[in-house]
Amino acid sequence: MKRFLQFAIDFIRAGFTGGLMFWAWMLFLSFFIMLWGYGEFVQIRDGMIVTNLTDQVSWGLYLANFVFMVGVAAAAVTVVFPAYVYKHHELHKIVVLGEMLAIAAVIMCLLFVTAHMGRPDRIWHIIPVIGIYNWPNAMLTWDVLVLTGYLILNLVGGFYFLFKKYTDQPLNKSFYIPLIFIAIVWALSIHTVTAFLINTMPARPMWHHSIMPIKFITTAFAAGPSLIIIVFMLVRKFTPLKIADEAFHMLSQIVTWCLGIALFLVLSEIVTELYPSTEHTAGLKYLMFGHNGLNMLVPFFWTAIALMVGSFILLLIPRIRKNMTILPFLCVGVFVGIWIDKGMGLMLPGVIPTPIGEFAEYSPSMIEMMIILGVWAIGLFILTVLIKGAVGVLLGDVSYGGKSDAAAT
Amino acid sequence: MSKEDNKENGAQSVSRRDFLRKAGTYSAASLSGAAMLLSNPKPAQATTNVEWAEHFQKNYRLMTEEEKQEALDRLEKRYSEEFGKEVTVDGSPAMDGVLFGYALNIQKCIGCRRCAKACVAENNQSRGDEQQIEWIRVLRLEKGQFSADDRDNAGYPGDYGIQVGGNAYKPAGVVLEGQHYYEAEQVPEKDAFYMPMQCMQCEKPPCVKVCPVQTTYRDPDGIVVIDYNWCIGCRMCIGACPYWARRFNWGEPSLPAEEMNPVTHYLGNRPRMKGVAEKCTFCVQRTRKGRWTACVEVCPVGARKLGNLLDPESDVRKVLETKKVFRLRADLNTYPKFFYFMD
C-alpha cells in the first residue's frame, strides 16, 4: 500500500516536471480549461438556452465530439492488438502509452456527455442502485456501462503494468493477459454501442442503417491511430524514449486500410441513399448539397471527403507513408477529415430535417465553443501528465527507491 | 388571481382533501404569496428546504403512497408561494378500465390554432420571447396544384440519358417544408388544408424505450407521462420520437404568475424547470377527472374527439367504427392512439 502511494506521488511528480516548453504548454491548456469552467458555470446557471441548440436540432457538437472521442478511445486497441496478438515487438514496448491515451479520451467523452445533459446535477439518476437504470432497454445505459467499464479496464491495466515496472516486479501473466484481451474486445464494444445509440432510431432515417457500427469502427481505427502516431512522434521528439520506425509503419498501415474501408462504406451509404433518392435521403442531400440556400454543412462535407480521399491516396504509396516528415501531416488530414465527417457530418444532418420536414441550421454558440475547446484542453492536459509519467516509468527514471527525485526529463 | 375557472377548480380541490388543513395553508399561502408578488416573483429562502427535498426524491413511479403524498405537498407549498395563489398538485393515478384514445377530423380542421393556444394556457408551458413551448403543431399543407411552369426537366431522360428529376414537383400535401409557423390573415386559407400533430401516446413509445432513467413511462390508461423531477435532460426521447412531439426547456420557463393555471397534476401541467423534456399528456389533470382536454373543449369546429377506447359508446370508438381512419407513420410500429379521420 505504501509502495502504491509512493508510486502515485512519483508518477504525478514526473507528470508535472518539465522545462519551459512544458509549462508554457500547460499554461496554454489551463487558459482553455478556465474557459471551460466559465462555460459550464453559465450553462448550468442559465440552462441549455445558452447553446444554439433548439427543439429542431437538439443534438449538436457536444454529442458529435463525444461520438468522435469514443472512437479515439477505442482506437487504443490498434496499439494493444498488434502488440499482444501479433507480438509486434516495437509496439509492445510502448503499449501502455496507448492505454494512457484511451484513459484521457474516455474522460473527455464523459465530460462531453455531461455538457450535453440538460440537468447534470441529476446525473446520479443513471447510477445503478441509487438511481434507476433502464437496462437493458435504453441504449444510453449500455453506453454508460461500456464506457465506465472501458475506463476501469484501462486504468487497471495501464497502471498495473506501470506499477509493476515501477517496483521492478514481474507481471502476473494470468491476471494481466486476460485483462488485456478483455480490454481489446471491450474497445470494440464501446464504439459499437455508441453507433447503436443513434442508429436504433427509425425516427431519424439518415442514421437508421446497419452500416453504422462498422463504419464507426473503421473511421475510429483510422482517426485514433493517426492521433497516436502524432503523440508518439512528439514523445520521440521531446523525451529520450526510443520508439522505432517499425511501430509507426505498423500504425500507418492500420490507418491506411481502415481509412480505405471507411471510404468504401461512405461510398456504399451515399449510393444506397442517393440512387433511389427517397424522402428519407433528405438529411444526406442536405449535407451534400444543401437545401434551398441552407448549405452551411456543404463545404465541411466536401472538405472532409477531400481530406480523407487525399490522405488515403497518399498513404497508399509506401514511400510517402514511411516518410516520417510527411506522415504527421497526413495523420492530421485523416484526423480532421474524420472529425468533420463523424461530427458535423453525422450528427447534424441526422436531425435535419425534423420528422415533420423542417430544415433548421445550427452553429455552436460561444459558450459551446468554450466548453468544447475546454474539454479538449482537459483531455490534452491529462494526456500530457499521463504520458510524461508513463514515459518516466518506462525509462526507469521513475522507480521504487530509485532515481525518482531525478525524474525531470 | 380570481379568474372564474380558478374558483371552480379551487372548489374541486377542497372537496378532494382535508378541508381544515387546507384552510390553514391556504390563508398562510395567500398571505405569503401576496407579499411575494409585491416584492419578488422568485421563490424566497423559505422554499429552499423544499427544493432540496425535491433534489433527493425518488422516481415518482417507485414512490410509496406516502412518499407520493409528501412530494405533492412539497410542490403545492412551493408553487403556491412562487406564484402567489393556491396551487394544487394532483397525483391521481390512471382509472381502471380506461384507455384514452383521440380522434381528429382533418376534413374539419380549419387551422385556427386555438387548440395550440388553449393547450399553452391550460398546461402552463413557457411563453414569451425567449422560449415558447407549444405541444400542438398544426401543419399547413398546400393543396396540390400543377402548372406548366413546373415541368422541370420535362421529357427526361434528356440529352445524356440520365434521369434527373420529375415533373410532379408539387404533389398534394407537401410536408417537407414544415409549414407550422404560418400566419394567415384568415383561416381556412383557400389553397391549404391542415393537419395538427401532437403526442400520439403510442402503445409502443420509442421515447420510453430510449429513456436511460425511466423518467418517461406509459401509465395504465395509455398516457405516456414524464416525471419532470427525474429527467436528466439527455434528449434521447426527442431524438427517438417520430412525431416530433417532445419539447425541451432550454432555459428557465417563463410563466407569469397571473397566467398560471393553478390546477395541476404531478405528471401533467405543473410548472416545469429548466433542462427537462415535456409533452402533451392528454391533459391528464382534466381527463382523469372525467373532463375533456383543453383542445377538445376549445375546438370551434368540433374536429377533436377524446374517449375511452375500451368503451364501445365513446366518441372515439364510434369514429373508429364508422369513419375512414388512419394513423401517422404506421410503418414504425409505434401504434399511436391518435387517429385521424375523414367523414
Side-chain angles (χ1 to χ4, degrees):
Chain A
M1 191 62 222
K2 184 172 161 287
R3 264 193 305 185
F4 192 77
L5 215 66
Q6 188 64 40
F7 165 66
I9 293 168
D10 284 349
F11 186 89
I12 291 168
R13 188 185 294 164
F16 280 100
T17 328
L20 196 64
M21 272 279 280
F22 169 76
W23 287 111
W25 167 244
M26 294 308 246
L27 205 67
F28 173 72
L29 292 180
S30 304
F31 170 71
F32 288 102
I33 295 174
M34 269 162 46
L35 287 187
W36 169 82
Y38 175 73
E40 280 284 359
F41 165 72
V42 172
Q43 189 175 297
I44 289 171
R45 186 191 61 192
D46 297 343
M48 299 299 288
I49 203 159
V50 297
T51 67
N52 275 352
L53 294 167
T54 54
D55 279 338
Q56 281 84 1
V57 187
S58 68
W59 290 8
L61 278 200
Y62 292 150
L63 265 206
N65 275 289
F66 161 76
V67 165
F68 181 75
M69 283 323 289
V70 176
V72 172
V77 90
T78 56
V79 183
V80 181
F81 191 79
Y84 285 94
V85 178
Y86 288 112
K87 311 272 190 269
H88 194 283
H89 189 63
E90 294 303 329
L91 280 176
H92 197 277
K93 285 194 220 160
I94 47 171
V95 70
V96 74
L97 298 186
E99 287 169 339
M100 297 295 124
L101 181 87
I103 292 170
V106 176
I107 292 173
M108 284 173 72
C109 290
L110 297 175
L111 287 172
F112 278 126
V113 173
T114 316
H116 170 81
M117 279 191 7
R119 294 297 300 239
D121 55 319
R122 293 178 179 171
I123 204 160
W124 63 274
H125 291 181
I126 205 172
I127 299 171
V129 186
I130 48 170
I132 290 192
Y133 204 53
N134 189 6
W135 193 84
N137 260 332
M139 278 298 153
L140 200 61
T141 58
W142 280 90
D143 219 26
V144 172
L145 191 79
V146 291
L147 273 178
T148 327
Y150 190 65
L151 181 61
I152 293 168
L153 279 173
N154 274 289
L155 280 173
V156 171
F159 282 98
Y160 175 76
F161 178 86
L162 287 174
F163 180 63
K164 286 293 176 189
K165 189 98 183 167
Y166 172 79
T167 51
D168 206 18
Q169 288 169 323
L171 289 168
N172 178 359
K173 285 271 167 66
S174 55
F175 166 71
Y176 185 65
I177 296 297
L179 192 73
I180 288 295
F181 279 89
I182 291 171
I184 288 173
V185 181
W186 204 284
L188 295 175
S189 82
I190 63 170
H191 216 33
T192 309
V193 173
T194 308
F196 288 160
L197 187 73
I198 64 171
N199 86 339
T200 48
M201 297 195 289
R204 310 287 173 174
M206 189 187 152
W207 292 339
H208 186 58
H209 59 77
S210 46
I211 229 174
M212 188 81 84
I214 182 65
K215 195 181 155 197
F216 264 35
I217 296 282
T218 51
T219 47
F221 287 3
S226 301
L227 179 66
I228 293 172
I229 288 175
I230 296 167
V231 171
F232 282 3
M233 287 212 161
L234 292 172
V235 168
R236 186 157 85 162
K237 189 160 191 271
F238 290 108
T239 71
L241 186 72
K242 294 203 169 28
I243 302 175
D245 279 357
E246 284 87 75
F248 292 102
H249 296 336
M250 183 75 209
L251 287 173
S252 62
Q253 277 189 44
I254 295 174
V255 173
T256 312
W257 295 121
C258 286
L259 185 60
I261 299 170
L263 283 172
F264 175 73
L265 294 175
V266 171
L267 180 78
S268 312
E269 191 187 339
I270 289 178
V271 172
T272 313
E273 289 277 307
L274 286 196
Y275 185 82
S277 197
T278 63
E279 196 182 313
H280 297 291
T281 317
L284 189 66
K285 271 194 192 158
Y286 163 72
L287 172 68
M288 295 177 75
F289 312 114
H291 179 87
N292 286 350
L294 299 177
N295 44 18
M296 199 180 64
L297 291 183
V298 176
F300 286 105
F301 173 79
W302 293 106
T303 310
I305 291 287
L307 282 173
M308 293 196 308
V309 173
S311 309
F312 177 64
I313 291 171
L314 291 175
L315 281 169
L316 274 179
I317 306 164
R319 203 158 42 83
I320 295 177
R321 185 171 69 230
K322 292 187 172 160
N323 185 327
M324 289 298 149
T325 348
I326 301 176
L327 183 61
F329 292 100
L330 294 180
C331 286
V332 171
V334 174
F335 190 77
V336 173
I338 290 177
W339 181 79
I340 295 173
D341 180 56
K342 238 169 153 176
M344 281 168 276
L346 180 84
M347 204 44 74
L348 302 184
V351 292
I352 306 170
T354 63
I356 60 169
E358 192 178 7
F359 285 81
E361 295 223 298
Y362 153 85
S363 54
S365 69
M366 280 307 286
I367 295 287
E368 274 175 287
M369 290 309 290
M370 279 183 194
I371 293 177
I372 288 166
L373 287 174
V375 173
W376 276 91
I378 293 173
L380 291 174
F381 192 98
I382 294 172
L383 183 67
T384 311
V385 172
L386 288 179
I387 293 269
K388 275 187 71 73
V391 167
V393 173
L394 286 181
L395 286 173
D397 291 338
V398 183
S399 62
Y400 187 61
K403 308 173 278 182
S404 55
D405 292 332
T409 47
Chain B
M1 233 168 106
S2 56
K3 282 180 189 169
E4 280 170 4
D5 57 338
N6 278 6
K7 279 183 202 154
E8 186 186 305
N9 296 331
Q12 194 180 50
S13 72
V14 168
S15 66
R16 189 169 56 81
R17 278 165 193 265
D18 182 0
F19 176 77
L20 283 174
R21 189 179 61 82
K22 206 79 230 171
T25 47
Y26 180 76
S27 48
S30 54
L31 266 179
S32 63
M36 204 74 67
L37 272 182
L38 287 173
S39 55
N40 185 2
K42 285 281 159 199
Q45 200 65 32
T47 56
T48 314
N49 293 333
V50 178
E51 279 180 30
W52 272 108
E54 272 180 57
H55 277 297
F56 293 104
Q57 75 188 31
K58 275 200 286 190
N59 183 312
Y60 186 70
R61 196 162 48 121
L62 300 185
M63 288 181 192
T64 60
E65 285 308 313
E66 293 87 71
E67 283 171 329
K68 276 184 184 169
Q69 197 54 53
E70 274 171 32
L72 297 177
D73 290 342
R74 257 200 311 268
L75 287 173
E76 285 186 347
K77 186 166 169 241
R78 181 160 75 77
Y79 292 147
S80 298
E81 285 182 32
E82 204 172 319
F83 293 97
K85 54 174 121 178
E86 194 212 4
V87 177
T88 57
V89 183
D90 185 16
S92 317
M95 290 178 280
D96 274 341
V98 175
L99 183 67
F100 284 111
Y102 206 107
L104 196 147
N105 189 339
I106 53 166
Q107 218 168 1
K108 274 190 177 165
C109 177
I110 55 167
C112 65
R113 300 188 74 253
R114 278 190 199 136
C115 47
K117 296 210 168 66
C119 174
V120 170
E122 165 69 26
N123 288 300
N124 289 326
Q125 280 102 319
S126 175
R127 54 208 80 174
D129 294 336
E130 250 203 344
Q131 65 165 354
Q132 280 179 303
I133 295 181
E134 283 178 2
W135 290 349
I136 300 178
R137 297 272 149 188
V138 183
L139 297 192
R140 178 186 183 276
L141 309 180
E142 264 174 45
K143 285 181 181 164
Q145 277 167 0
F146 291 83
S147 74
D149 305 337
D150 289 327
R151 299 196 307 154
D152 306 58
N153 310 308
Y156 59 87
D159 295 345
Y160 305 101
I162 300 170
Q163 186 180 350
V164 279
N167 291 351
Y169 268 7
K170 288 201 170 66
V174 175
V175 197
L176 275 177
E177 301 297 329
Q179 302 172 58
H180 54 97
Y181 295 115
Y182 64 92
E183 283 180 4
E185 275 186 15
Q186 206 177 358
V187 287
E189 295 154 280
K190 228 166 74 188
D191 51 352
F193 59 94
Y194 305 90
M195 185 158 83
M197 281 176 84
Q198 63 203 68
C199 177
M200 308 269 154
Q201 317 292 356
C202 308
E203 278 299 284
K204 275 172 65 186
C207 55
V208 168
K209 193 165 192 173
V210 300
C211 180
V213 290
Q214 297 189 14
T215 194
T216 180
Y217 56 94
R218 180 188 173 283
D219 255 353
D221 56 2
I223 294 181
V224 178
V225 291
I226 305 173
D227 178 359
Y228 307 119
N229 269 66
W230 194 257
C231 174
I232 60 172
C234 68
R235 310 195 281 287
M236 283 297 291
C237 53
I238 297 182
C241 177
Y243 306 102
W244 203 52
R246 291 199 167 221
R247 298 287 165 272
F248 189 71
N249 284 284
W250 297 96
E252 193 66 56
S254 91
L255 175 60
E258 65 275 7
E259 291 176 30
M260 189 256 180
N261 174 11
V263 183
T264 70
H265 191 285
Y266 185 91
L267 299 167
N269 63 340
R270 71 184 168 103
R272 269 77 68 185
M273 56 291 271
K274 64 172 184 269
V276 301
E278 61 179 64
K279 65 180 233 341
C280 160
T281 59
F282 281 175
C283 285
V284 71
Q285 67 282 355
R286 286 165 157 255
T287 46
R288 284 188 183 170
K289 301 262 182 256
R291 297 179 62 193
W292 297 123
T293 64
C295 49
V296 167
E297 219 168 69
V298 81
C299 182
V301 291
R304 290 168 170 269
K305 309 280 175 211
L306 177 84
N308 180 3
L309 289 171
L310 305 179
D311 173 11
E313 294 305 309
S314 70
D315 288 356
V316 177
R317 277 289 288 273
K318 293 215 169 111
V319 166
L320 294 181
E321 273 161 33
T322 57
K323 307 286 182 185
K324 295 167 186 150
V325 174
F326 68 95
R327 302 199 261 202
L328 287 186
R329 305 197 74 168
D331 55 321
L332 297 180
N333 272 11
T334 56
Y335 304 103
K337 286 192 295 296
F338 195 98
F339 304 90
Y340 294 88
F341 70 98
M342 289 159 277
D343 288 319

